[in-house]
Amino acid sequence: MGKILVTGGTGYIGSHTAVELIGQGFEVVIVDNLSNSQERTLDGIEEITGVRPLFERFDLCDTERTEAFFQKHTDIDAIIHFAAYKSVGESVQEPLKYYRNNLVSLMNLLDAMKKHGVQGMVFSSSCTVYGQPDELPVTEQAPIQKAVSPYGNTKQISEEIIEDFLKAGPALNAISLRYFNPIGAHPTGLIGELPLGVPENLVPYVTQTAIGIRKELKVFGDDYDTPDGSAIRDYLHVVDLAKAHIVAIRRILERKQKKNYEVFNLGTGRGVSVFEIIHTFEEVTGVKVNYVVTGRRPGDIEKIWADPTYANKELGWKAESTLGEALLSAWKWEQYYRDHLEKAKQ
């Protein structure tokens, strides 16, 4: 089927994508520096698939190590590039850390692709490139607004780097997937979102509050111009998102792209508020979530959701899972992980 390098493959989306790739018969090699993930995620991937992917731990900003990797693995067919720092708040505090890590690692990979004849790359982009859009839902033709954070700016710049790189002549291909808000976990409960420290994202904060690790969930603002006053996002199940990467990789390897650089929005097409997340979680799990409303968080967008029509039509991909299914899987993972953690401590 092909040998795929998954950078950041022990992370949240990367691990779920590795599972889907293995399930489709691809050989997977993971590179991760474990700065925001754990090597034990490989155990979960192996338990689900029966296959333990090859794993190398190093930083893709290290040009020499990256080159040595590609000299060793001369048969990489394509890359799915997840590896990046991703905290909006931290990027505001430490912008150079984000620019250095997210851009240098990408450029090192593009150099290696050209030198070693790798066919193409699927790039993990984000709806943050749209900022607060003028029109909803957001299509791929929506104007790119000034980024509200250095993190968002690294995604904008990365897309520009890839596009310029491909214009310069190498016979390579790339697809940027601009995803909205991935949530949930693998239905087995064996892998899921595992933030180190205090969660930045809503759903792990909900599950950690529900299980008693956090005292209360902070709802940042209930005075937005939305039906219930809380911010609205487009939440899609991480397994649906992972499957889109498989479709994109096939599109590259089978040379079905309309042009050598393509962009797709990945979302459900439905906006969901923070309060709707809380209430749906309580409905499907039967567990109450203790929350408190606080002031708006700087840099937060009021409302955004995708128009996934282009991806639905062109890729033949669609988000299948319901919000309830996604939240239930996140809860199953939270329970499994805490139980597993406690047993490991004994």
Side-chain angles (χ1 to χ4, degrees):
M1 288 296 296
K3 187 172 181 179
I4 311 299
L5 166 61
V6 181
T7 74
T10 57
Y12 176 40
I13 307 170
S15 59
H16 287 82
T17 301
V19 164
E20 296 301 321
L21 283 165
I22 292 166
Q24 291 291 314
F26 289 96
E27 184 181 352
V28 172
V29 185
I30 289 173
V31 168
D32 204 305
N33 67 2
L34 302 180
S35 65
N36 195 33
S37 59
Q38 297 181 0
E39 191 169 347
R40 60 189 295 279
T41 303
L42 297 169
D43 300 338
I45 295 172
E46 184 177 15
E47 202 169 334
I48 293 166
T49 65
V51 176
R52 192 175 188 87
L54 287 168
F55 172 68
E56 293 206 20
R57 180 182 181 177
F58 68 91
D59 195 319
L60 288 158
C61 291
D62 185 331
T63 308
E64 289 179 9
R65 285 291 304 273
T66 304
E67 173 58 22
F69 171 85
F70 279 93
Q71 285 181 3
K72 179 180 171 185
H73 298 276
T74 56
D75 55 346
I76 300 283
D77 292 298
I79 298 167
I80 304 181
H81 183 37
F82 294 108
Y85 293 147
K86 62 173 191 171
S87 165
V88 170
E90 185 186 49
S91 78
V92 174
Q93 301 300 319
E94 300 186 65
L96 293 184
K97 174 181 175 179
Y98 274 67
Y99 287 118
R100 189 175 290 116
N101 182 75
N102 293 7
L103 301 180
V104 172
S105 58
L106 171 65
M107 290 187 281
N108 283 346
L109 283 172
L110 293 174
D111 273 337
M113 281 174 62
K114 185 176 180 181
K115 188 172 179 181
H116 297 278
V118 178
Q119 286 185 51
M121 173 188 286
V122 175
F123 176 65
S124 167
S125 192
S126 165
C127 67
T128 57
V129 302
Y130 296 116
Q132 176 61 67
D134 296 325
E135 292 182 18
L136 291 168
V138 183
T139 70
E140 289 80 359
Q141 283 70 51
I144 302 298
Q145 309 271 15
K146 180 171 173 54
V148 296
S149 70
Y151 162 72
N153 205 23
T154 66
K155 291 301 184 186
Q156 290 184 3
I157 296 168
S158 291
E159 286 196 15
E160 290 169 358
I161 288 171
I162 294 167
E163 193 167 14
D164 287 344
F165 171 75
L166 295 175
K167 279 179 188 167
L172 303 172
N173 299 283
I175 293 174
S176 283
L177 299 178
R178 292 175 180 163
Y179 19 98
F180 284 67
N181 293 63
I183 60 170
H186 195 268
T188 59
L190 294 169
I191 57 172
E193 190 168 9
L194 181 58
L196 302 184
V198 180
E200 286 274 329
N201 295 337
L202 174 61
V203 171
Y205 215 113
V206 168
T207 60
Q208 288 189 16
T209 304
I211 212 163
I213 290 167
R214 308 286 161 200
K215 181 186 163 198
E216 60 194 10
L217 169 72
K218 290 183 175 68
V219 176
F220 296 109
D222 64 351
D223 57 351
Y224 284 110
D225 182 18
T226 60
D228 63 17
S230 66
I232 286 176
R233 299 288 182 273
D234 187 335
Y235 296 95
L236 74 157
H237 198 304
V238 67
V239 174
D240 285 335
L241 180 56
K243 288 175 179 174
H245 291 78
I246 317 308
V247 176
I249 277 292
R250 288 188 187 279
R251 188 174 174 87
I252 287 172
L253 295 180
E254 295 168 9
R255 304 191 182 280
K256 289 183 176 176
Q257 288 175 262
K258 299 283 174 68
K259 49 188 179 180
N260 68 345
Y261 181 60
E262 295 178 315
V263 173
F264 296 96
N265 283 343
L266 299 181
T268 65
R270 185 170 94 83
V272 173
S273 76
V274 174
F275 287 133
E276 189 177 345
I277 288 279
I278 295 168
H279 300 325
T280 305
F281 178 85
E282 290 178 338
E283 259 175 49
V284 297
T285 65
V287 181
K288 293 295 286 181
V289 178
N290 187 30
Y291 69 87
V292 60
V293 176
T294 64
R296 296 185 187 188
R297 187 168 53 178
D300 271 355
I301 290 164
E302 179 171 273
K303 50 190 169 186
I304 186 170
W305 62 92
D307 180 345
T309 306
Y310 185 52
N312 297 164
K313 183 179 166 189
E314 193 62 39
L315 295 178
W317 170 88
K318 194 172 189 295
E320 305 280 357
S321 303
T322 66
L323 180 64
E325 287 166 343
L327 292 171
L328 196 55
S329 69
W331 180 233
K332 185 176 179 180
W333 156 249
E334 183 73 56
Q335 292 173 300
Y336 167 80
Y337 177 70
R338 298 303 158 190
D339 186 48
H340 210 67
L341 192 67
E342 290 310 312
K343 283 178 181 168
K345 285 177 183 173
Q346 289 168 5

